[in-house]
Amino acid sequence: MTETTPDAAVLPGAAGFPDTSGLPGAPGRGWRIPPGGGSLARARALARDTLREWDYPGEEYAHAVLLVSELVTNAHRHAGGPADLELRPVPGGVLLKVGDSSPRLPVRRDPGADGGFGMHLLARLSEAWGVEAFPGGKSVWARLTPRQDT
């Protein structure tokens, strides 16, 4: 599935976990998540804390934290480098994006012991999702709205 997101912000290439919320035209938060010990827990905590700060009910947005974990894991595994995580409030929900430096687009495959759950989770837990290719990589995005069934 290939779609584009309106007004997609571009994250700068800084190392560590910089907050890019001050960028003009980027009313959200973004971080570079390097691979390595503790980085997935940190990405989940950043997402959870940001959603709480924006007064999104944590129990309704648990699926956003799950998708952050899955997409950052995929970026680390398949691109072999850092993942750029972005969260943006949008009317009625939140937009999350994870970018990496691999031009290879994700492929839906049957889930099994070696993975394959990512695209299925995106389809099940998001209102809409897609992939944006750009020179030097891609972003996978998902638009989420509050749900009581997760």
Side-chain angles (χ1 to χ4, degrees):
M1 174 177 204
T2 302
E3 298 181 30
T4 58
T5 4
D7 306 319
V10 177
L11 296 175
F17 296 99
D19 181 348
T20 61
S21 58
L23 289 176
R29 300 258 169 93
W31 307 268
R32 172 130 313 162
I33 311 292
S39 63
L40 293 175
R42 179 74 173 136
R44 287 188 297 268
L46 289 166
R48 194 171 29 253
D49 293 349
T50 298
L51 293 171
R52 279 190 197 133
E53 184 180 321
W54 291 344
D55 292 325
Y56 289 117
E59 64 278 359
E60 292 181 2
Y61 276 89
H63 56 286
V65 175
L66 173 63
L67 288 178
V68 163
S69 185
E70 179 67 27
L71 294 176
V72 170
T73 296
N74 286 348
H76 289 167
R77 178 183 290 170
H78 299 294
D84 290 326
L85 168 62
E86 180 183 352
L87 295 173
R88 295 179 59 195
V90 294
V94 65
L95 178 70
L96 71 89
K97 288 177 68 174
V98 175
D100 63 49
S101 62
S102 172
R104 203 166 140 226
L105 299 179
V107 175
R108 188 185 296 231
R109 58 189 176 104
D110 291 333
D114 65 340
F117 294 93
M119 301 295 100
H120 297 279
L121 286 171
L122 275 173
R124 170 115 170 103
L125 299 178
S126 65
E127 175 183 69
W129 68 276
V131 179
E132 292 178 324
F134 56 84
K138 68 178 169 307
S139 290
V140 179
W141 61 268
R143 179 182 162 83
L144 300 120
T145 55
R147 292 165 52 154
Q148 295 291 332
D149 62 346
T150 57

